[in-house]
Amino acid sequence: MKKKILRGIALMLSMVFLTGCSQKEEEAPPELLTLAEYSVPVTIDNIEIVVGTTTLQPLLDAGLSIMVSEWTGDQVLEREIDPEEILAAGTSETDISFWITDSAFARLSLEAADTDVRMGDAVVSRLALHLSHLTDTLPDNISIDGVPVTELSRARAGEMFPDYEQEDLSIMQQGEDYKCTFMFMPGTYALYQFSLVKGEKEESILPPSTIW
């Protein structure tokens, strides 16, 4: 009789334990991939750019010719960015670009948080690299997470970022705050486009308008 009672108590305790575990599993929020804990730094001509942290000023100090495009209603005009221009609080400037080599260029977005900020002090919120506009030769002055883009094949990227969504010609991670994408050329599997975006901002793959 005592054995039956003990078995009954043990059975009830095990059911309570399993029910509690089940409720905890159901209540646990879904895990979101996020780049907030692991930033992907990009180095261009020894200038490190960390989206969400780096401001525009270090790029200007390095002598890069950074242009901003403006739509006038009937044409796109391009002018050199003025670091002293004020970016209003809560706004962003998305049409910024600069050439890295004769065939590789970058596009940037800048944003101002809660206060007005001079353009040079605005934080980079998007960085998109286009590496094969006119030639298949990859530039040797760009690295991503410490690896030169000349060595960043599809296979190497998959090894570096195994938690990303893996496709034949791309890998991607969408986090709570950031989206990171690598795209590769068919056949050679060489990297031709990289983008890291903070927030929901539209990306452009077109080169700066000066080539037209």
Side-chain angles (χ1 to χ4, degrees):
M1 184 67 178
K2 288 182 179 179
K3 289 182 178 180
K4 289 183 179 180
I5 293 174
L6 290 173
R7 287 175 183 171
I9 292 173
L11 180 61
M12 285 189 294
L13 288 173
S14 65
M15 291 176 67
V16 170
F17 177 78
L18 290 173
T19 301
C21 290
S22 176
Q23 288 177 344
K24 287 181 180 179
E25 289 176 359
E26 291 177 359
E27 293 170 0
E31 184 178 353
L32 294 176
L33 294 173
T34 176
L35 291 170
E37 297 176 359
Y38 176 62
S39 188
V40 181
V42 176
T43 302
I44 302 173
D45 283 334
N46 296 318
I47 309 163
E48 185 177 74
I49 304 171
V50 179
V51 171
T53 302
T54 302
T55 65
L56 182 66
Q57 193 62 53
L59 283 74
L60 295 170
D61 292 343
L64 292 173
S65 180
I66 300 178
M67 311 299 289
V68 58
S69 300
E70 297 177 341
W71 174 247
T72 64
D74 57 357
Q75 62 179 326
V76 175
L77 296 180
E78 198 167 62
R79 61 175 175 83
E80 194 164 354
I81 198 164
D82 180 2
E84 301 304 324
E85 183 180 342
I86 299 300
L87 187 62
T91 65
S92 61
E93 178 62 69
T94 60
D95 295 315
I96 300 170
S97 60
F98 63 92
W99 287 100
I100 303 170
T101 67
D102 290 341
S103 59
F105 64 92
R107 283 195 175 276
L108 300 175
S109 292
L110 303 175
E111 67 176 18
D114 300 328
T115 59
D116 295 353
V117 64
R118 62 186 288 274
M119 201 71 75
D121 295 329
V123 172
V124 175
S125 57
R126 171 180 67 112
L127 172 62
L129 301 177
H130 196 289
L131 305 177
S132 60
H133 175 56
L134 296 176
T135 178
D136 293 333
T137 304
L138 289 170
D140 59 5
N141 59 342
I142 305 174
S143 64
I144 298 174
D145 203 24
V147 178
V149 295
T150 53
E151 302 174 12
L152 230 171
S153 64
R154 170 64 184 85
R156 181 73 181 275
E159 293 171 357
M160 291 172 61
F161 304 100
D163 295 332
Y164 282 30
E165 294 179 20
Q166 309 282 328
E167 300 291 342
D168 184 42
L169 295 175
S170 66
I171 66 170
M172 186 272 288
Q173 184 186 62
Q174 174 70 66
E176 294 177 338
D177 301 313
Y178 294 85
K179 180 178 180 180
C180 186
T181 306
F182 294 77
M183 300 183 71
F184 303 87
M185 292 290 290
T188 64
Y189 292 96
L191 181 68
Y192 80 92
Q193 190 173 336
F194 166 85
S195 67
L196 180 57
V197 187
K198 181 181 180 182
E200 300 296 328
K201 293 180 176 62
E202 190 71 22
E203 296 183 50
S204 172
I205 62 173
L206 295 177
S209 60
T210 49
I211 67 166
W212 303 115

